[in-house]
Amino acid sequence: MSQLPTVLITGASSGIGTVYAERFARRGHDVVLVARDTARLESLAARLRQDTGVAVDVLPADLTVRTDLATVETRLRDDACIGILINNAGVAQSGGFTDQSADSIDQVVTLNTLALTRLAAAIAPRLANAGEGAIVNIGSVVGLAPEFGMSVYGASKAFVLFLSQGLSLELSPKGVYVQAVLPAATRTEIWERAGIDINTLPEVMDVGELVDAALVGFDRRETVTIPPLHVAARWDTLEASRQGLISDIRQAQAAERYRP
Protein backbone atom coordinates (compact mmCIF):
# COMPACT_ATOMS: atom_id res chain seq x y z
CA MET A 1 0.00 0.00 0.00
CA SER A 2 1.54 3.26 -1.17
CA GLN A 3 -0.40 5.32 1.38
CA LEU A 4 -1.86 4.69 4.80
CA PRO A 5 -4.58 2.06 4.54
CA THR A 6 -8.20 2.92 5.15
CA VAL A 7 -9.58 1.46 8.39
CA LEU A 8 -13.07 -0.05 8.54
CA ILE A 9 -14.47 -0.09 12.08
CA THR A 10 -17.63 -1.89 13.14
CA GLY A 11 -19.61 -0.72 16.15
CA ALA A 12 -18.20 2.72 15.44
CA SER A 13 -21.08 4.82 16.76
CA SER A 14 -20.03 4.62 20.42
CA GLY A 15 -17.52 3.33 22.93
CA ILE A 16 -14.50 1.39 21.76
CA GLY A 17 -15.38 1.76 18.09
CA THR A 18 -15.64 5.54 18.28
CA VAL A 19 -12.28 5.83 20.02
CA TYR A 20 -10.61 3.55 17.47
CA ALA A 21 -11.99 5.82 14.73
CA GLU A 22 -10.64 8.91 16.47
CA ARG A 23 -7.21 7.39 17.04
CA PHE A 24 -6.73 6.10 13.50
CA ALA A 25 -8.02 9.36 12.01
CA ARG A 26 -5.46 11.25 14.10
CA ARG A 27 -2.81 8.95 12.67
CA GLY A 28 -3.86 10.07 9.19
CA HIS A 29 -5.92 7.06 8.12
CA ASP A 30 -9.14 7.44 6.19
CA VAL A 31 -11.91 5.55 7.96
CA VAL A 32 -15.14 3.75 7.17
CA LEU A 33 -17.63 3.82 10.04
CA VAL A 34 -20.09 0.93 10.40
CA ALA A 35 -22.96 0.78 12.91
CA ARG A 36 -26.76 0.86 13.09
CA ASP A 37 -27.17 4.45 14.33
CA THR A 38 -26.86 6.61 11.22
CA ALA A 39 -27.28 9.91 13.06
CA ARG A 40 -24.45 9.12 15.45
CA LEU A 41 -22.23 7.96 12.59
CA GLU A 42 -22.84 11.16 10.63
CA SER A 43 -22.08 13.27 13.69
CA LEU A 44 -18.83 11.40 14.34
CA ALA A 45 -17.87 11.57 10.67
CA ALA A 46 -18.38 15.34 10.55
CA ARG A 47 -16.26 15.80 13.67
CA LEU A 48 -13.45 13.59 12.38
CA ARG A 49 -13.38 15.38 9.02
CA GLN A 50 -13.18 18.75 10.73
CA ASP A 51 -10.61 17.73 13.35
CA THR A 52 -8.30 15.58 11.23
CA GLY A 53 -8.99 16.27 7.56
CA VAL A 54 -9.18 12.59 6.66
CA ALA A 55 -11.85 11.09 4.42
CA VAL A 56 -14.66 9.47 6.41
CA ASP A 57 -17.32 7.23 4.91
CA VAL A 58 -20.48 6.26 6.77
CA LEU A 59 -21.84 2.77 6.14
CA PRO A 60 -24.99 2.17 8.23
CA ALA A 61 -25.56 -1.54 8.86
CA ASP A 62 -27.09 -3.91 11.37
CA LEU A 63 -24.69 -6.83 11.25
CA THR A 64 -27.35 -9.23 12.56
CA VAL A 65 -29.31 -8.62 9.34
CA ARG A 66 -27.93 -10.76 6.52
CA THR A 67 -28.45 -8.17 3.78
CA ASP A 68 -26.66 -5.48 5.80
CA LEU A 69 -23.85 -7.88 6.66
CA ALA A 70 -23.49 -8.76 2.97
CA THR A 71 -23.17 -5.07 2.11
CA VAL A 72 -20.24 -4.65 4.50
CA GLU A 73 -18.66 -7.88 3.24
CA THR A 74 -18.82 -6.58 -0.32
CA ARG A 75 -17.13 -3.34 0.71
CA LEU A 76 -14.34 -5.29 2.43
CA ARG A 77 -13.83 -7.56 -0.58
CA ASP A 78 -13.93 -4.86 -3.24
CA ASP A 79 -12.38 -1.73 -1.71
CA ALA A 80 -8.64 -2.18 -2.17
CA CYS A 81 -7.97 0.91 -0.05
CA ILE A 82 -9.23 -0.82 3.12
CA GLY A 83 -6.22 -2.47 4.73
CA ILE A 84 -7.30 -2.68 8.39
CA LEU A 85 -10.48 -4.19 9.82
CA ILE A 86 -11.45 -3.42 13.41
CA ASN A 87 -13.99 -6.13 14.25
CA ASN A 88 -15.48 -4.39 17.26
CA ALA A 89 -19.27 -4.71 17.03
CA GLY A 90 -20.63 -6.89 19.81
CA VAL A 91 -23.33 -7.32 22.41
CA ALA A 92 -23.25 -8.45 26.04
CA GLN A 93 -25.87 -10.41 27.93
CA SER A 94 -27.02 -10.39 31.54
CA GLY A 95 -28.54 -13.17 33.59
CA GLY A 96 -27.85 -16.87 33.85
CA PHE A 97 -28.05 -19.34 30.98
CA THR A 98 -31.50 -20.59 31.95
CA ASP A 99 -32.77 -17.00 31.91
CA GLN A 100 -31.82 -16.39 28.27
CA SER A 101 -34.40 -16.25 25.52
CA ALA A 102 -33.80 -17.89 22.17
CA ASP A 103 -33.79 -14.45 20.53
CA SER A 104 -31.16 -13.02 22.90
CA ILE A 105 -28.91 -16.06 22.39
CA ASP A 106 -29.31 -15.71 18.64
CA GLN A 107 -28.33 -12.04 18.79
CA VAL A 108 -25.19 -12.69 20.83
CA VAL A 109 -24.01 -15.58 18.69
CA THR A 110 -24.86 -13.87 15.40
CA LEU A 111 -23.14 -10.57 16.16
CA ASN A 112 -20.22 -11.71 18.32
CA THR A 113 -19.21 -14.75 16.27
CA LEU A 114 -20.93 -15.14 12.89
CA ALA A 115 -20.74 -11.52 11.74
CA LEU A 116 -17.18 -11.11 13.04
CA THR A 117 -16.05 -14.27 11.25
CA ARG A 118 -17.72 -13.41 7.97
CA LEU A 119 -16.21 -9.93 7.92
CA ALA A 120 -12.76 -11.35 8.58
CA ALA A 121 -13.33 -13.91 5.84
CA ALA A 122 -14.39 -11.16 3.44
CA ILE A 123 -11.17 -9.18 3.76
CA ALA A 124 -8.59 -11.88 4.51
CA PRO A 125 -8.08 -13.25 0.97
CA ARG A 126 -7.47 -9.78 -0.45
CA LEU A 127 -5.02 -8.87 2.31
CA ALA A 128 -3.20 -12.18 1.91
CA ASN A 129 -2.88 -11.61 -1.83
CA ALA A 130 -1.53 -8.11 -1.14
CA GLY A 131 0.89 -9.44 1.47
CA GLU A 132 -0.08 -6.82 4.05
CA GLY A 133 -2.88 -5.52 6.23
CA ALA A 134 -4.40 -6.21 9.62
CA ILE A 135 -7.47 -7.70 11.28
CA VAL A 136 -8.21 -6.69 14.88
CA ASN A 137 -10.84 -8.73 16.72
CA ILE A 138 -12.22 -7.37 20.00
CA GLY A 139 -12.73 -10.20 22.47
CA SER A 140 -12.97 -10.09 26.26
CA VAL A 141 -11.27 -11.52 29.32
CA VAL A 142 -14.68 -13.05 30.06
CA GLY A 143 -13.78 -15.58 27.38
CA LEU A 144 -11.11 -16.88 29.76
CA ALA A 145 -13.34 -17.01 32.83
CA PRO A 146 -16.50 -19.14 32.96
CA GLU A 147 -16.52 -18.22 36.66
CA PHE A 148 -17.89 -14.81 35.67
CA GLY A 149 -21.23 -16.46 34.87
CA MET A 150 -21.82 -14.89 31.44
CA SER A 151 -21.84 -18.23 29.69
CA VAL A 152 -23.12 -17.35 26.21
CA TYR A 153 -21.27 -14.03 26.01
CA GLY A 154 -18.09 -15.58 27.41
CA ALA A 155 -18.28 -18.49 24.98
CA SER A 156 -18.64 -16.06 22.09
CA LYS A 157 -15.54 -14.20 23.23
CA ALA A 158 -13.59 -17.44 23.71
CA PHE A 159 -14.45 -18.11 20.07
CA VAL A 160 -13.02 -14.71 19.11
CA LEU A 161 -9.72 -15.52 20.84
CA PHE A 162 -9.42 -18.98 19.28
CA LEU A 163 -10.32 -17.67 15.82
CA SER A 164 -7.79 -14.85 16.09
CA GLN A 165 -5.00 -17.18 17.15
CA GLY A 166 -5.83 -19.58 14.34
CA LEU A 167 -5.99 -16.79 11.77
CA SER A 168 -2.67 -15.43 13.01
CA LEU A 169 -0.98 -18.78 12.43
CA GLU A 170 -2.47 -19.01 8.96
CA LEU A 171 -2.18 -15.42 7.78
CA SER A 172 0.96 -14.02 9.42
CA PRO A 173 3.26 -15.95 7.04
CA LYS A 174 1.39 -14.17 4.23
CA GLY A 175 2.05 -10.75 5.72
CA VAL A 176 -1.31 -10.20 7.42
CA TYR A 177 -1.29 -9.23 11.09
CA VAL A 178 -4.12 -10.52 13.30
CA GLN A 179 -4.61 -9.19 16.82
CA ALA A 180 -7.05 -10.27 19.52
CA VAL A 181 -7.78 -7.55 22.07
CA LEU A 182 -9.17 -8.75 25.40
CA PRO A 183 -10.63 -5.93 27.50
CA ALA A 184 -11.98 -6.37 30.99
CA ALA A 185 -14.91 -4.17 32.08
CA THR A 186 -14.68 -0.96 30.07
CA ARG A 187 -16.85 2.14 30.42
CA THR A 188 -19.07 1.76 27.35
CA GLU A 189 -22.79 1.52 26.58
CA ILE A 190 -22.64 -2.26 26.12
CA TRP A 191 -23.36 -2.79 29.82
CA GLU A 192 -26.46 -0.59 29.93
CA ARG A 193 -27.81 -2.28 26.81
CA ALA A 194 -27.35 -5.64 28.53
CA GLY A 195 -29.23 -4.43 31.62
CA ILE A 196 -26.10 -4.34 33.79
CA ASP A 197 -25.43 -1.38 36.09
CA ILE A 198 -21.80 -0.51 35.42
CA ASN A 199 -21.59 1.17 38.82
CA THR A 200 -21.93 -2.25 40.47
CA LEU A 201 -18.68 -3.43 38.87
CA PRO A 202 -15.63 -3.11 41.15
CA GLU A 203 -13.18 -1.79 38.55
CA VAL A 204 -13.92 -0.26 35.15
CA MET A 205 -11.36 0.98 32.62
CA ASP A 206 -11.83 4.22 30.68
CA VAL A 207 -12.41 3.46 27.01
CA GLY A 208 -9.64 5.81 25.88
CA GLU A 209 -7.12 4.05 28.07
CA LEU A 210 -8.28 0.69 26.73
CA VAL A 211 -7.90 1.63 23.07
CA ASP A 212 -4.58 3.41 23.59
CA ALA A 213 -3.19 0.31 25.29
CA ALA A 214 -4.58 -1.90 22.52
CA LEU A 215 -2.86 0.29 19.94
CA VAL A 216 0.46 -0.11 21.74
CA GLY A 217 -0.03 -3.85 21.31
CA PHE A 218 -1.03 -3.25 17.68
CA ASP A 219 2.15 -1.29 16.98
CA ARG A 220 4.20 -4.04 18.66
CA ARG A 221 2.38 -6.66 16.57
CA GLU A 222 1.19 -8.66 19.56
CA THR A 223 -1.04 -11.61 18.72
CA VAL A 224 -3.00 -11.24 21.95
CA THR A 225 -3.25 -7.93 23.81
CA ILE A 226 -4.80 -7.87 27.31
CA PRO A 227 -4.68 -4.23 28.48
CA PRO A 228 -5.78 -4.95 32.09
CA LEU A 229 -3.24 -7.77 32.60
CA HIS A 230 -0.49 -6.30 34.80
CA VAL A 231 1.71 -9.40 34.99
CA ALA A 232 2.45 -10.33 31.39
CA ALA A 233 4.17 -13.54 32.48
CA ARG A 234 0.77 -14.92 33.50
CA TRP A 235 -0.25 -15.14 29.85
CA ASP A 236 3.11 -16.64 28.89
CA THR A 237 2.68 -19.30 31.58
CA LEU A 238 -0.83 -20.10 30.37
CA GLU A 239 0.37 -20.47 26.79
CA ALA A 240 3.29 -22.66 27.84
CA SER A 241 0.95 -24.89 29.85
CA ARG A 242 -1.41 -25.15 26.90
CA GLN A 243 1.41 -26.17 24.59
CA GLY A 244 2.54 -28.73 27.12
CA LEU A 245 -0.95 -30.16 27.36
CA ILE A 246 -1.18 -30.46 23.58
CA SER A 247 2.17 -32.25 23.39
CA ASP A 248 0.95 -34.77 25.97
CA ILE A 249 -2.20 -35.71 24.06
CA ARG A 250 -1.73 -39.07 22.36
CA GLN A 251 -4.64 -40.29 20.30
CA ALA A 252 -4.02 -44.02 19.98
CA GLN A 253 -4.94 -44.97 23.54
CA ALA A 254 -7.07 -43.64 26.36
CA ALA A 255 -5.18 -42.30 29.35
CA GLU A 256 -4.47 -44.87 32.06
CA ARG A 257 -6.89 -43.22 34.50
CA TYR A 258 -9.80 -43.89 32.12
CA ARG A 259 -9.11 -47.57 31.54
CA PRO A 260 -11.41 -50.05 33.31
Side-chain angles (χ1 to χ4, degrees):
M1 297 173 185
S2 59
Q3 60 182 11
L4 289 175
T6 298
V7 184
L8 186 143
I9 304 155
T10 67
S13 62
S14 65
I16 292 172
T18 292
V19 177
Y20 262 111
E22 293 169 348
R23 299 301 193 259
F24 273 110
R26 289 179 189 173
R27 291 182 174 202
H29 294 263
D30 294 339
V31 294
V32 179
L33 307 176
V34 178
R36 295 178 299 173
D37 193 325
T38 304
R40 275 189 170 186
L41 291 181
E42 293 288 3
S43 176
L44 174 61
R47 177 164 59 83
L48 293 179
R49 293 183 191 113
Q50 180 176 347
D51 292 348
T52 68
V54 303
V56 184
D57 282 352
V58 168
L59 184 55
D62 181 342
L63 298 178
T64 65
V65 176
R66 292 301 179 99
T67 53
D68 286 11
L69 177 59
T71 297
V72 182
E73 288 176 297
T74 299
R75 181 67 181 270
L76 288 169
R77 279 193 297 265
D78 296 347
D79 189 341
C81 292
I82 297 175
I84 300 173
L85 166 64
I86 308 296
N87 243 333
N88 165 68
V91 62
Q93 194 178 51
S94 62
F97 184 70
T98 57
D99 300 323
Q100 307 307 315
S101 68
D103 287 344
S104 69
I105 291 172
D106 187 72
Q107 183 183 40
V108 170
V109 173
T110 299
L111 185 56
N112 291 6
T113 64
L114 178 63
L116 177 141
T117 304
R118 284 184 52 164
L119 294 182
I123 195 174
R126 181 170 58 76
L127 297 184
N129 287 335
E132 57 187 341
I135 299 171
V136 177
N137 295 321
I138 307 300
S140 170
V141 296
V142 179
L144 301 171
E147 294 83 1
F148 287 177
M150 302 172 71
S151 297
V152 178
Y153 174 76
S156 74
K157 293 304 185 178
F159 175 93
V160 171
L161 173 60
F162 187 104
L163 179 71
S164 300
Q165 291 173 304
L167 292 182
S168 181
L169 290 172
E170 182 176 344
L171 296 176
S172 61
K174 300 177 182 179
V176 182
Y177 167 55
V178 181
Q179 179 194 28
V181 177
L182 276 56
T186 307
R187 196 168 297 280
T188 71
E189 295 177 7
I190 193 171
W191 302 104
E192 181 181 353
R193 292 171 182 167
I196 299 171
D197 183 357
I198 196 170
N199 296 313
T200 64
L201 303 177
E203 292 184 272
V204 181
M205 186 176 293
D206 178 76
V207 66
E209 184 168 353
L210 180 280
V211 174
D212 287 339
L215 285 171
V216 171
F218 180 90
D219 293 337
R220 293 174 178 171
R221 290 304 191 251
E222 292 181 347
T223 303
V224 179
T225 298
I226 311 177
L229 179 63
H230 289 258
V231 182
R234 299 283 193 190
W235 176 256
D236 298 334
T237 299
L238 179 63
E239 277 294 280
S241 296
R242 186 181 65 83
Q243 292 290 343
L245 182 149
I246 292 171
S247 69
D248 200 37
I249 292 175
R250 297 186 292 276
Q251 296 180 184
Q253 294 179 314
E256 186 68 32
R257 66 186 179 280
Y258 296 125
R259 296 181 187 176

